[in-house]
Amino acid sequence: MRIVSPDMNTRVAHHLSIPNWDIRPTAQFLRELALFFVGVIPLPHRPVRLSDVRRRWRERRGTSKRGVRLLLLPGFLATDHSMRRLRFHLRRAGYRAHGWGLGRNEGVGPDLMERVDRRVRALSRSDERLVLIGWSLGGLIAREYAKQAPDRVAAVITMGSPFGADIRTTFIWRFYNWMTRNREVRPFEPEQLAEKPPVPTIALWSPCDGLIPSVAARGESPHVDGCIRVQCAHMTYPTDRTTIDAVVDTVDAIAEGALHRVVDTVEPEPQIEAPLAA
């Protein structure tokens, strides 16, 4: 895991668009598409043996870490199934990790925050703090919910979530609008997304991300408390082992009150006059 602060030469003010951000190298972009379709149509997995289930249950029971409970929010068009490997490793590390239980993430509808709130209330315990972990659009939803209900959220961890810059000129924005054109979906407002929740907020970003510009996923102060650089494709944030290790380390630091151990504080930089390519 490599820990860095955003580079001054590539940072973009959150209210600026990225008109000259071109699609990533063709091979990287095609890889993202292939990974997307593999996720939509999951490959067959080997049968789970009862002995494996018992062994994992014993491991979780023996290392249970009270005080922190986790809620994982999937990316656009994904379900809890896409986050199962991340949940498994978080549970193996001793945490109570839960899916959001709302089916496929089809965009930010008018009642989404109420549904997320019901799920959060169902998981809330007086002796535990709730940490939201969101991948891509799930991270944006986690940030927005934490702004509305900071008393119910201890921290937010985003993975490849484009909150740090205006991405309305990019492919991923056009794809989102095309996929939600027949549904009532709230439009994204970059300035609103960039506003930091009043709780510790950590961003995982990858220079290998073929869909989201790095500057949008890592953010800058005061819109995020720190960032962690990982090496994975956008579609593999929840399954890449080094990224999973980074998430587990971050949750450990939150539980121990030692976030400075795993992330750098992002210092504010002078505002840039014109946007630069990611």
Side-chain angles (χ1 to χ4, degrees), residues 7-178:
D7 181 67
M8 181 172 60
N9 295 324
T10 60
R11 299 176 73 180
V12 177
H14 74 280
H15 61 279
L16 295 178
S17 62
I18 314 176
N20 58 339
W21 181 79
D22 55 344
I23 291 179
R24 304 296 179 133
T26 302
Q28 197 177 69
F29 181 69
L30 292 177
R31 181 191 180 204
E32 296 284 7
L33 291 182
L35 291 169
F36 170 76
F37 286 110
V38 168
V40 171
I41 309 173
L43 296 176
H45 299 282
R46 68 178 180 86
V48 178
R49 295 180 299 179
L50 184 59
S51 60
D52 291 337
V53 175
R54 288 173 177 168
R55 174 178 55 80
R56 294 169 187 173
W57 180 80
R58 285 195 299 269
E59 288 175 348
R60 293 198 298 270
R61 186 181 183 188
T63 60
S64 180
K65 297 177 181 177
R66 294 187 177 275
V68 173
R69 187 177 291 259
L70 311 173
L71 177 60
L72 281 62
L73 290 76
F76 182 51
L77 298 181
T79 66
D80 284 330
H81 180 77
S82 67
M83 309 284 275
R84 67 192 184 284
R85 186 175 185 187
L86 178 56
R87 282 199 308 276
F88 167 75
H89 284 283
L90 287 166
R91 289 170 179 171
R92 192 172 186 179
Y95 293 103
R96 293 174 173 83
H98 306 270
W100 77 334
L102 302 180
R104 191 173 300 279
N105 186 345
E106 297 183 342
V108 185
D111 64 337
L112 180 63
M113 289 303 168
E114 289 78 5
R115 296 165 65 201
V116 172
D117 185 62
R118 287 196 294 270
R119 180 61 170 159
V120 168
R121 288 174 181 273
L123 294 176
S124 296
R125 301 291 184 274
S126 60
D127 60 338
E128 292 179 322
R129 294 171 293 160
L130 184 67
V131 176
L132 304 183
I133 303 174
W135 168 36
S136 195
L137 177 61
L140 299 182
I141 295 170
R143 284 174 60 99
E144 291 304 304
Y145 179 77
K147 296 172 191 176
Q148 298 181 18
D151 56 320
R152 300 191 187 99
V153 179
V156 174
I157 301 171
T158 63
M159 303 186 298
S161 301
F163 65 89
D166 187 346
I167 65 166
R168 285 179 292 189
T169 59
T170 65
F171 166 81
I172 196 65
W173 168 263
R174 292 191 291 271
F175 176 74
Y176 178 84
N177 280 330
W178 181 72

